[in-house]
Amino acid sequence: MKISEADILIVPGLHGSDANHWQSRWQAKFSTGRRIEQKDWSKPDLEEWVNNVVKAVEEATRPVVLVAHSAGVATVVHAAPRIKNWVKGAYLVAPADVDDSSCVPAELHGFGPFPTSPLPFHAKVVASRNDPYCTYERAEQLAKLWNARLQDAGESGHINSESGQGPWPEGIISFAHFMKELG
C-alpha cells in the first residue's frame, strides 16, 4: 500500500509531539497525514483520548494507518476493538509501559492495564533497548500478546527528539516497509 492511498493518523503521547519530533515531521511530509488532537496533551484522560481516536478513524475517507508513539500506543491498543473495521495497520513506536507505575509519569497511571488480546489489524512495535519508559523485554512481551511484529531499534532512548531521533531516518525506512506489508 502506498502512503497516498491511506489516511495516516498520527497519535502522539503525553505532551504531544514537538516540532522536531519525527511524528511532526512525518505529518508535514505525508500529504494524507494528520494528527489526532487531544484537548489537553499534559493531562491525559484515557476515555477522552480513545474517543478522539475512534472519531478520527470513523471520519477517515481512505483505509487508516495509525502511527502511535509512547502513550499514543496505549491509546491505540485500548481503541482497537472499536476501530478494527477501518484500520489497515498500526505502527506502534516506543510504547510507554503503562502497567509499570515506577517507569511512567503519574499522568499515565490511568492508561493501564494494557489490553492483552491480539490486535485486530496488522501491527508493528518498534522498541529501543534503553527506553526509560519501557524495557525491551516488556515491549517484546507486548508485541507477542498483540500478535505484532517487533523491530529492535537498538539504543535509541524513547525514540523522540530528546533522545536525538528528531528526523529518525531509520523510522521512515521501516515505516515504508510496513506500508508495503499492508498490500
Side-chain angles (χ1 to χ4, degrees):
M1 170 177 272
K2 294 179 182 174
I3 290 171
S4 62
E5 297 171 343
D7 279 333
I8 309 296
L9 301 182
I10 309 291
V11 188
L14 184 63
H15 307 302
S17 295
D18 63 43
N20 291 320
H21 195 287
W22 60 268
Q23 281 188 313
S24 298
R25 292 169 187 243
W26 290 14
Q27 178 185 345
K29 182 180 180 97
F30 300 155
S31 63
T32 62
R34 77 177 200 277
R35 179 181 309 246
I36 296 176
E37 294 293 341
Q38 301 296 348
K39 185 170 86 175
D40 192 336
W41 290 108
S42 297
K43 294 180 183 170
D45 175 273
L46 178 61
E47 184 178 343
E48 182 179 296
W49 280 32
V50 165
N51 287 338
N52 287 336
V53 167
V54 171
K55 182 178 182 222
V57 168
E58 289 175 344
E59 291 172 351
T61 59
R62 291 174 279 264
V64 172
V65 176
L66 299 164
V67 178
H69 179 259
S70 191
V73 173
T75 306
V76 166
V77 175
H78 280 287
R82 295 175 54 195
I83 58 177
K84 64 185 176 187
N85 295 331
W86 296 277
V87 174
K88 187 83 170 165
Y91 190 76
L92 309 171
V93 180
D97 188 357
V98 296
D99 291 341
D100 183 351
S101 62
S102 70
C103 74
V104 295
E107 295 91 346
L108 298 180
H109 292 177
F111 276 54
F114 268 126
T116 57
S117 299
L119 291 172
F121 37 74
H122 191 72
K124 180 185 231 179
V125 173
V126 181
S128 168
R129 293 202 170 258
N130 64 341
D131 189 334
Y133 302 111
C134 185
T135 66
Y136 185 80
E137 293 73 25
R138 177 62 172 152
E140 192 172 36
Q141 178 187 43
L142 291 169
K144 190 173 194 173
L145 290 167
W146 298 335
N147 196 32
R149 281 195 318 109
L150 177 69
Q151 179 179 332
D152 185 341
E155 293 194 358
S156 302
H158 195 47
I159 313 179
N160 58 7
S161 40
E162 288 83 20
S163 64
Q165 305 301 320
W168 196 36
E170 302 87 356
I172 199 77
I173 293 167
S174 169
F175 183 67
H177 286 290
F178 177 75
M179 290 298 294
K180 283 184 184 179
E181 293 170 8
L182 299 180

